[in-house]
Amino acid sequence: DAKTTQPPSMDCAEGRAANLPCNHSTISGNEYVYWYRQIHSQGPQYIIHGLKNNETNEMASLIITEDRKSSTLILPHATLRDTAVYYCIVRVPSGNTPLVFGKGTRLSVIA
Amino acid sequence: GAVVSQHPSRVICKSGTSVKIECRSLDFQATTMFWYRQFPKQSLMLMATSNEGSKATYEQGVEKDKFLINHASLTLSTLTVTSAHPEDSSFYICSARAPTGQETQYFGPGTRLLVL
């Protein structure tokens, strides 16, 4: 049971920032927000995760609203290789809890 | 990030045969690994949770006698599709939980199975 809502698809021009939204209005206090992406015919790739503070790494930035009911993944300068399905997942990072995937957002980066 | 490998990357077999897929954590020990299945144009579906030294936990609707999972060491889990049928053709992906940070899961590259 996915606890997140994402738009099914988005387009982004190459070189521009890609902003991928995710709603998780029922998130609980101990759940983190994780983002993964899956390029066609490959396994999912970890991007970033956070609890309540904004996070940034070499791949992306994660902006979480103050009420934690939504977040945005930002790819600052999208390239054609960023074309993939992006999954937003909330979970408690403990024990044997696996990632449960929803339908994600299919991002198409256009030249 | 942590590296997870799978072998083979793709396999074609005849109906009725068994196929074994290996999942290895290359630079860390994984007490827990997960197996997923993905059909075309669909999302990943969790099949089972594999625990080192104990029996796997299967999701509802997944036949444990058909999808045999063995997690014999801290770096290796295997999934055997027994008596494969064409409807078992799918993309099988394993994942391992890295014991760092907030328990991030890392995924293998997947194994594409085609049953003729």
Side-chain angles (χ1 to χ4, degrees):
Chain A
D1 294 332
K3 302 179 183 179
T4 63
T5 303
Q6 299 177 253
S9 64
M10 292 181 63
D11 291 339
C12 177
E14 188 179 20
R16 302 296 295 270
N19 297 287
L20 293 94
C22 179
N23 287 323
H24 31 79
S25 59
T26 61
I27 192 171
S28 59
N30 59 348
E31 287 182 315
Y32 284 65
V33 180
Y34 289 78
W35 282 85
Y36 283 75
R37 73 179 182 184
Q38 186 179 25
I39 296 171
H40 183 62
S41 294
Q42 297 183 23
Q45 176 188 22
Y46 166 78
I47 300 173
I48 199 168
H49 73 281
L51 180 62
K52 56 182 179 180
N53 297 323
N54 296 337
E55 302 287 344
T56 296
N57 62 21
E58 64 279 3
M59 289 184 68
S61 295
L62 173 60
I63 308 299
I64 303 174
T65 58
E66 192 169 343
D67 63 8
R68 303 209 321 125
K69 292 185 177 182
S70 66
S71 61
T72 301
L73 178 74
I74 301 173
L75 307 179
H77 305 287
T79 70
L80 297 178
R81 287 177 293 182
D82 292 321
T83 293
V85 178
Y86 288 76
Y87 297 97
C88 168
I89 302 168
V90 296
R91 67 184 282 264
V92 177
S94 64
N96 296 336
T97 307
L99 290 167
V100 177
F101 288 80
K103 296 182 179 180
T105 295
R106 181 173 298 279
L107 174 69
S108 297
V109 181
I110 303 169
Chain B
V3 178
V4 177
S5 70
Q6 278 184 246
H7 178 79
S9 58
R10 58 179 61 209
V11 56
I12 301 173
C13 70
K14 294 182 179 180
S15 184
T17 61
S18 294
V19 174
K20 179 184 285 187
I21 302 170
E22 294 185 348
C23 176
R24 295 181 183 273
S25 55
L26 296 185
D27 51 0
F28 65 100
Q29 293 183 332
T31 56
T32 303
M33 291 184 175
F34 306 97
W35 286 95
Y36 293 80
R37 179 168 54 181
Q38 186 176 33
F39 293 107
K41 299 187 183 300
Q42 295 187 20
S43 187
L44 285 79
M45 293 176 54
L46 180 68
M47 297 177 66
T49 300
S50 170
N51 300 297
E52 188 268 337
S54 64
K55 291 183 179 180
T57 303
Y58 290 82
E59 295 299 300
Q60 189 174 9
V62 178
E63 299 176 54
K64 63 180 181 180
D65 294 330
K66 180 169 183 62
F67 299 99
L68 301 179
I69 292 174
N70 185 7
H71 194 156
S73 77
L74 289 172
T75 59
L76 173 64
S77 176
T78 61
L79 168 68
T80 300
V81 183
T82 63
S83 186
H85 291 284
E87 57 265 32
D88 298 324
S89 299
S90 188
F91 192 48
Y92 292 86
I93 307 168
C94 75
S95 173
R97 180 174 61 88
T100 58
Q102 278 75 45
E103 306 289 343
T104 303
Q105 263 180 249
Y106 292 94
F107 289 81
T111 296
R112 189 162 300 283
L113 171 63
L114 176 61
V115 184
L116 301 177

